Amino acid sequence: MIPVKRLTASPKKQKLQLQAIQSVLTSGNFILGKHVDDFERSWAQFCGASYSVGVANGMDALEIGMRCLDIGPGDEVITTDITAFATVLSILKLGATPVLADIDPSSGLISEESVKSLINPRTKAIIVVHLYGYFKNIQKWKDIADSAGVHLIEDCAQAHGCVDSTGNRVGLTGIFSAFSFYPTKNLGGYGDSGALVTNQHEIYERSKILRNYGQSSQYEHKFIGLNSRMDELQAALLLIELQNLEKETKSRRTIADNYRQNINNPNVFFLEEPHHKYSHVYHQFVVKVKDRSGFQNHLENCGVMSQIHYPCAISAQPIMRQYIKDFCDRYQSHTFAGECVSIPCFPGMTPLEIDAVTAAVQSYS
Ligand SMILES: *Cc1c(COP(=O)(O)O)cnc(C)c1O
């Protein structure tokens, strides 16, 4: 079976990992130490940002950043109806109201028209999610947010290292951005962690306080904070992963190019092709099919695994009924959630595996 993701490390990498683990174990410091400092510096540099703050996961990076903006009860935050549930959960955790926007079915990304129609005086922020690793039109989003007088936030949990057609780097246009290093992400650790990235000194200072119980110095509590600290072990292991990120992203793009060139099955629909080579990092390679379970069964019979990101629009989750004002019944997100399929696309896929996936998709009817 060809998996959707393969997370095992090469023997060479494992050797580096064991050394890194040992250096943490002998340091006697396991949380917010030297490795976290090093990683934060390296991650900010990779992103081209002034600051990066290591936290416990990507969802906390969103919550902490929004707390720095004083978003809370009574405030509305607009985001997309197709995303990881964590995006919306971070808004709910603040006591703020998530307002779900429809998507553009050709890309799966949040729709501009829908967002514009939802902006009102209670709107405090728009969270744009660079879904599947596709980073598009960030300047347009900045203009929309600026003209509405609201904050733009980037959820970059799937988009490590994107650059758009005008050279904007992912995560730098929003007032802050959130990254996740969950094991399956493009930069993945060996447990949970995440980072908030920003050019704003005030957000940087405040988020460092918030992640650590809200203490500004030991036992002095300036804010009501969280326990959302980054582990030394994760930081040490992520520093190793970071060295391979560019190479791995290149490999994801090669696989995606291969699919785009060699698959032309009329029953399988590709999402929009990015205008710029570097603006997609292919966290997932997603296609749409009308009979999804038939397609997935066919792939499985050919030895190819697939996954669904995501099988249910956020607004269709039963638990959301009590938290949203509108059930978004006429949204295109529901059709999209019924048709999308992620096929294998991960660094380390062999040419034989790429060909086998291509053949499996091509032979579907
Ligand atoms: C994974 C993910 C998150 C949450 O990250 P965690 O580290 O799991 O908390 C948020 N948004 C998106 C789009 C994600 O894919």
Side-chain angles (χ1 to χ4, degrees):
M1 275 291 173
I2 301 175
V4 179
K5 293 252 148 35
R6 190 181 287 131
L7 297 178
T8 45
S10 68
K12 193 173 141 215
K13 198 203 263 182
Q14 282 182 23
K15 213 172 134 204
L16 291 172
Q17 289 172 330
L18 290 174
Q19 284 167 359
I21 289 168
Q22 188 147 37
S23 92
V24 173
L25 296 182
T26 52
S27 77
N29 194 358
F30 305 115
I31 287 174
L32 297 184
K34 166 186 169 301
H35 295 88
V36 172
D37 285 347
D38 281 357
F39 177 73
E40 287 177 338
R41 213 172 306 115
S42 305
W43 184 241
Q45 190 175 26
F46 181 89
C47 295
S50 306
Y51 310 109
S52 152
V53 180
V55 295
N57 54 66
M59 184 176 79
D60 282 1
L62 285 168
E63 180 184 343
I64 289 170
M66 285 192 282
R67 284 207 196 194
C68 293
L69 303 174
D70 290 316
I71 294 173
D75 297 333
E76 294 185 1
V77 177
I78 301 175
T79 194
T80 169
D81 204 19
I82 298 285
T83 182
F85 198 71
T87 311
V88 175
L89 207 43
S90 71
I91 304 168
L92 290 168
K93 283 185 71 190
L94 300 163
T97 305
V99 174
L100 299 166
D102 200 4
I103 56 149
D104 171 354
S106 60
S107 63
L109 302 184
I110 187 168
S111 144
E112 283 171 34
E113 288 65 41
S114 180
V115 169
K116 284 182 187 160
S117 76
L118 294 168
I119 291 172
N120 72 69
R122 284 183 302 279
T123 308
K124 284 286 151 25
I126 302 167
I127 305 179
V128 170
V129 179
H130 309 309
L131 192 72
Y132 307 142
Y134 186 18
F135 177 56
K136 189 187 171 187
N137 288 350
I138 195 65
Q139 191 54 47
K140 207 176 266 179
W141 284 111
K142 175 81 173 130
D143 294 344
I144 292 171
D146 283 353
S147 67
V150 306
H151 297 296
L152 178 68
I153 297 166
E154 292 181 62
D155 180 339
C156 302
Q158 304 187 355
H160 312 71
C162 290
V163 183
D164 78 2
S165 55
T166 50
N168 284 306
R169 295 167 81 166
V170 80
L172 303 185
T173 308
I175 186 153
F176 76 87
S177 59
F179 287 88
S180 166
F181 309 120
Y182 184 79
T184 58
K185 308 289 184 183
N186 285 30
L187 181 66
Y190 294 78
D192 277 310
S193 63
L196 180 151
V197 164
T198 186
N199 282 330
Q200 307 279 326
H201 186 74
E202 248 189 347
I203 293 182
Y204 168 65
E205 289 293 347
R206 195 156 156 194
S207 54
K208 276 201 304 183
I209 295 172
L210 284 173
R211 74 171 167 186
N212 194 11
Y213 303 149
Q215 57 187 353
S216 49
S217 58
Q218 206 172 19
Y219 308 131
E220 194 175 310
H221 294 267
K222 197 170 171 191
F223 301 108
I224 299 302
L226 292 74
N227 175 351
S228 186
R229 299 175 294 228
M230 191 184 224
D231 291 343
E232 283 286 286
L233 276 174
Q234 291 310 326
L237 293 168
L238 283 167
L239 280 163
I240 298 171
E241 297 299 321
L242 186 52
Q243 290 175 4
N244 298 320
L245 180 57
E246 304 244 38
K247 201 176 78 210
E248 294 192 346
T249 299
K250 205 170 155 211
S251 145
R252 289 172 188 273
R253 288 192 183 117
T254 305
I255 297 164
D257 288 348
N258 214 292
Y259 289 158
R260 285 194 184 277
Q261 273 165 28
N262 298 315
I263 297 173
N264 59 355
N265 185 331
N267 297 310
V268 179
F269 304 93
F270 283 139
L271 298 184
E272 177 183 309
E273 186 164 356
H275 301 297
H276 187 253
K277 183 177 163 192
Y278 299 112
S279 60
H280 210 315
V281 293
Y282 292 100
H283 174 59
Q284 306 292 353
F285 191 92
V286 174
V287 299
K288 294 191 289 182
V289 286
K290 298 285 175 213
D291 171 18
R292 179 169 58 200
S293 56
F295 179 67
Q296 288 194 285
N297 284 338
H298 169 80
L299 292 185
E300 196 171 341
N301 289 335
C302 299
V304 174
M305 297 307 291
S306 58
Q307 270 185 345
I308 303 170
H309 300 96
Y310 298 88
C312 182
I314 303 289
S315 62
Q317 295 278 355
I319 188 69
M320 288 307 293
R321 300 208 144 235
Q322 55 193 295
Y323 296 108
I324 52 181
K325 294 187 295 191
D326 174 10
F327 299 147
C328 315
D329 291 334
R330 286 201 293 273
Y331 275 13
Q332 308 197 65
S333 53
H334 305 292
T335 317
F336 187 91
E339 295 181 348
C340 59
V341 188
S342 310
I343 61 175
C345 179
F346 55 87
M349 252 183 117
T350 65
L352 271 177
E353 287 175 324
I354 300 168
D355 288 348
V357 174
T358 304
V361 176
Q362 276 297 76
S363 60
Y364 169 68
S365 58

